[in-house]
């Protein structure tokens, strides 16, 4: 949460009590596993915010015990590690059983900030690893670690990342790389695919057990509603719609919106070939393997609904009729539009809403697209526009190939500002709280990765600090808010992580 400061409770890591709440579920939901030994692990980065959320202090990560626990080299006496089973639709097709192929759940811990499941990602083979090796490479682990915390700081629901630990252990992808483990936390990692798993087996008993578990622990307010499963679906639909509206507004592309990567809590989950929009392009595809552009920026809202439909189908035996499920799915588009509309009004510094605003926004997106204007820089600079001073257009129009297109649009925008008697100073301050100055641009993370691959972790840690305060000026880091260099635009990222 933005600006939240955590009460610093000191507790040493060996004092932490692990629970195994997930294992209330019958044993068919998971397999007991032992993390594989990771040779000579070293700490690359730790998120102080997440450490405090769990009631640890980051200093504990200087101890070898923490390194051992969060690579899986040592198991806490109370922890019974497991990998969970799930299935899913990948790129629109039923993929059958998947499961935690390289994630291991250590258990959950309780702190004054709630209950958190702790999962190691990249900690070795599980019964669900299929052809994989159960490992994650340093490159993709840095990406997940930084983006989780960047999204949180942007106010976007996400799983969190506690620590990033590396090793020289070789991992074979297109080339030889090295291994890393990200320790991530969330109230739960249960996915849409966890429900699909039982539905496609037509095992309604276990489907119901899972839904009851999720309601009991994460949606207790629905226990006493007329049909708790309908309430659950409706809330997940709303959360998903709103999540994706937040992605669109900030220009985030997930890259692999398969149903096994969709959180039942509406969190951003499983960071792979994600990307933030540089030059605005509705059709941008950030995932190198997504030939058809199924997960292109412009498609994300529809895919979100498609995924909700898959979840609805899986919950159908508990919900009742198809009509009832369809009614709930129909709530997606209004929820998405409502949230996106509010977010875009805020990005434009508009407090009031008028029907004609849609035209103003559509026209803006059109000219941003035509000139491939940097999405983040545009909104940040727009806050400097003064309603009665055309000269203030200059730094903004400089972002456009077609400068006149911006000047024309700015006439409409000024009219609109006048309509609500917008105050320049107030508007600027409000806009700068919703339009980030710093985002995790692909080229920035690429530089951090290359340094880390040469054992220099300073850039990873610097980026973490900068991205924890994306709305603050942090003038000493102005270079991190600049346009990407030529080599760093339109990088697309492979799935082999
Ligand atoms: P993803 O596309 O990363 O969400 O992964 C899809 C499925 O493949 C999940 O079940 C993952 O656990 C599994 N998976 C991905 N990478 C690996 C790996 N290196 N080893 C084992 N399983 C993996
Ligand atoms: Mg996944």
């Amino acid at each position: 949460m933005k600006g939240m400061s955590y009460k610093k409770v000191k507790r040493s890591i060996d004092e932490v009590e692990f629970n195994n709440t997930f294992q209330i579920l019958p044993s068919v939901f998971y397999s007991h596993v032992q993390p594989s030994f990771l040779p000579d692990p070293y700490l690359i980065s730790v998120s102080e915010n997440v450490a405090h959320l769990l009631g640890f202090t980051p200093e504990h990560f200087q101890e070898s015990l923490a390194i051992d626990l969060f690579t899986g080299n040592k198991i806490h006496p109370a922890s019974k590690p497991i990998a969970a089973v799930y299935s899913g639709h990948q790129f629109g097709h039923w993929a059958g059983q998947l499961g935690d192929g390289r994630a291991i759940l250590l258990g959950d811990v309780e702190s004054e900030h709630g209950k958190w499941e702790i999962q190691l990602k990249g900690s070795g083979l599980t019964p669900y690893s299929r052809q994989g090796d159960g490992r994650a490479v340093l490159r993709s682990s840095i990406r997940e670690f930084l983006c989780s915390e960047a999204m949180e700081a942007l106010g976007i629901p996400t799983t969190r990342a506690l620590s990033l630990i590396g090793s020289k252990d070789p991992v074979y992808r297109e080339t030889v790389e090295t291994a890393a483990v990200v320790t991530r936390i969330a109230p739960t990692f249960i996915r849409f695919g966890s429900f699909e798993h039982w539905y496609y087996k037509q095992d309604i008993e276990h489907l119901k057990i899972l839904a009851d578990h999720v309601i009991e622990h994460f949606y207790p307010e629905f226990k006493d509603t007329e049909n708790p499963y309908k309430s659950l679906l409706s809330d997940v639909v709303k959360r998903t719609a709103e999540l994706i509206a937040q992605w669109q507004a900030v220009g985030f592309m997930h890259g692999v919106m398969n149903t096994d990567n969709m959180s039942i809590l509406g969190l951003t989950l499983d960071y792979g070939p994600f990307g933030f929009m540089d030059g605005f392009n509705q059709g941008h595809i950030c995932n190198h393997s997504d030939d058809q552009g199924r997960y292109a920026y412009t498609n994300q809202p529809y895919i979100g609904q498609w995924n909700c439909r898959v979840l609805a189908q899986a919950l159908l035996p508990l919900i009742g009729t198809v009509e009832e499920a369809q009614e709930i799915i129909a709530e997606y588009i209004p929820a998405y539009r409502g949230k996106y509309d509010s977010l875009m009004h805020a990005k434009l510094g508009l407090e009031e809403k008028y029907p004609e605003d849609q035209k103003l926004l559509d026209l803006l997106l059109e000219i941003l697209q035509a000139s491939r204007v940097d999405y983040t820089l545009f909104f940040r600079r727009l806050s400097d526009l003064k309603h009665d001073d055309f000269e203030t257009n200059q730094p903004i129009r400089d972002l456009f190939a077609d400068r006149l297109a911006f000047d024309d649009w700015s006439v409409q925008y000024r009219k609109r500002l006048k309509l609500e008697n917008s105050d320049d100073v107030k508007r600027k301050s409000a806009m700068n709280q919703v339009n980030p100055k710093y985002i995790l641009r692909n080229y920035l993370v690429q530089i951090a990765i290359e340094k880390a691959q040469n054992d220099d972790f300073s850039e990873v840690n610097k980026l973490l600090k900068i991205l924890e305060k994306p709305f603050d000026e942090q003038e000493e880091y102005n270079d991190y808010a600049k346009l990407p260099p030529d080599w760093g635009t339109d990088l697309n990222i492979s799935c082999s992580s």
Side-chain angles (χ1 to χ4, degrees), residues 217-281:
H217 293 275
F218 309 107
Y219 294 91
E221 65 277 23
F222 298 149
K223 269 201 307 201
D224 299 324
T225 58
E226 200 187 323
N227 181 333
Y229 311 110
K230 277 173 71 173
S231 309
L232 171 67
L233 178 63
S234 173
D235 210 62
V236 177
V237 164
K238 182 164 174 278
R239 286 187 193 206
T240 305
E242 294 190 353
L243 174 70
I244 293 167
Q246 285 178 277
W247 290 357
Q248 297 304 103
V250 81
F252 173 80
M253 292 155 282
H254 182 284
V256 204
M257 290 174 68
N258 293 335
T259 56
D260 53 300
N261 291 336
M262 299 295 292
S263 151
I264 201 66
L265 300 182
L267 308 173
T268 312
L269 168 66
D270 275 4
Y271 292 90
F274 67 83
F276 283 86
M277 190 69 85
D278 290 315
F280 188 67
N281 174 14

Side-chain angles (χ1 to χ4, degrees), residues 123-390:
S123 51
L125 291 171
T126 78
Y128 314 111
S129 298
R130 298 176 297 154
Q131 266 66 269
D133 57 5
R135 286 294 182 200
V137 294
L138 176 62
R139 159 176 61 84
S140 68
S141 305
I142 290 174
R143 289 170 54 82
E144 169 138 15
F145 177 78
L146 288 178
C147 200
S148 307
E149 293 311 290
M151 292 291 267
E152 170 70 21
L154 290 165
I156 302 177
T158 178
T159 62
R160 307 290 304 273
L162 171 67
S163 58
L164 171 62
I165 298 174
S167 161
K168 290 292 173 201
D169 207 31
V171 179
Y172 301 91
R173 297 293 182 261
E174 280 96 359
T175 58
V176 188
E177 301 188 45
T178 60
V181 175
V182 172
T183 298
R184 57 182 191 176
I185 72 166
T188 179
F189 293 92
I190 294 174
R191 301 133 197 272
F192 289 12
S194 314
F195 292 86
E196 291 173 76
H197 184 71
W198 301 108
Y199 172 75
Y200 282 85
K201 283 180 189 288
Q202 282 300 301
D203 184 338
I204 311 309
E205 184 195 340
H206 285 107
L207 179 71
K208 183 170 180 306
I209 290 173
L210 180 62
D212 288 339
H213 175 87
V214 166
I215 291 167
E216 172 77 28
H217 293 275
F218 309 107
Y219 294 91
E221 65 277 23
F222 298 149
K223 269 201 307 201
D224 299 324
T225 58
E226 200 187 323
N227 181 333
Y229 311 110
K230 277 173 71 173
S231 309
L232 171 67
L233 178 63
S234 173
D235 210 62
V236 177
V237 164
K238 182 164 174 278
R239 286 187 193 206
T240 305
E242 294 190 353
L243 174 70
I244 293 167
Q246 285 178 277
W247 290 357
Q248 297 304 103
V250 81
F252 173 80
M253 292 155 282
H254 182 284
V256 204
M257 290 174 68
N258 293 335
T259 56
D260 53 300
N261 291 336
M262 299 295 292
S263 151
I264 201 66
L265 300 182
L267 308 173
T268 312
L269 168 66
D270 275 4
Y271 292 90
F274 67 83
F276 283 86
M277 190 69 85
D278 290 315
F280 188 67
N281 174 14
Q282 298 264 14
H284 187 71
I285 305 163
C286 63
N287 178 354
H288 185 67
S289 321
D290 183 7
D291 304 324
Q292 309 290 317
R294 179 178 172 85
Y295 301 137
Y297 173 78
T298 188
N299 288 344
Q300 294 192 128
Y302 308 102
I303 295 295
Q305 191 186 30
W306 193 94
N307 290 342
C308 285
R309 230 181 252 126
V310 168
L311 178 66
Q313 174 88 39
L315 289 173
L316 202 55
L318 308 177
I319 284 180
T321 65
V322 174
E323 288 72 28
E324 284 171 293
Q326 273 170 346
E327 265 172 39
I328 299 172
I329 292 300
E331 294 163 9
Y332 179 95
I333 296 289
Y336 170 78
R337 288 216 179 111
K339 182 75 178 180
Y340 180 73
D341 192 54
S342 295
L343 291 169
M344 296 314 284
H345 269 84
K347 284 178 82 70
L348 289 170
L350 301 175
E351 287 180 25
E352 296 171 8
K353 289 190 179 176
Y354 296 94
E356 308 80 53
D357 294 346
Q358 188 62 45
K359 264 200 233 142
L360 187 73
L361 177 62
D362 288 347
L363 185 58
L364 172 63
L365 296 182
E366 217 173 274
I367 62 169
L368 291 178
Q369 169 98 23
S371 285
R372 294 286 196 277
V373 174
D374 187 84
Y375 188 72
T376 304
L377 274 175
F378 172 79
F379 282 102
R380 191 75 184 185
R381 285 197 194 169
L382 187 65
S383 69
D384 286 323
L385 180 139
K386 302 241 179 331
H387 76 278
D388 58 355
D389 179 4
F390 223 72

Side-chain angles (χ1 to χ4, degrees), residues 12-18 35-38 41 56 60-61 63-79 81 104-107 109 118-121 123 162-163 165 181-184:
S12 140
I13 279 162
D14 52 1
E15 283 165 17
V16 173
E17 283 176 37
F18 269 85
S36 304
F37 183 76
L38 187 72
F56 308 153
H60 289 131
F61 283 80
E63 301 161 14
S64 64
L65 176 64
I67 309 279
D68 285 341
L69 281 177
F70 296 121
T71 48
N73 282 356
K74 198 177 239 168
I75 299 299
H76 190 282
S79 151
I104 293 181
L105 182 65
L106 294 180
V109 301
I118 301 189
Q119 206 183 56
L120 306 178
K121 186 165 176 182
S123 51
L162 171 67
S163 58
I165 298 174
V181 175
V182 172
T183 298
R184 57 182 191 176

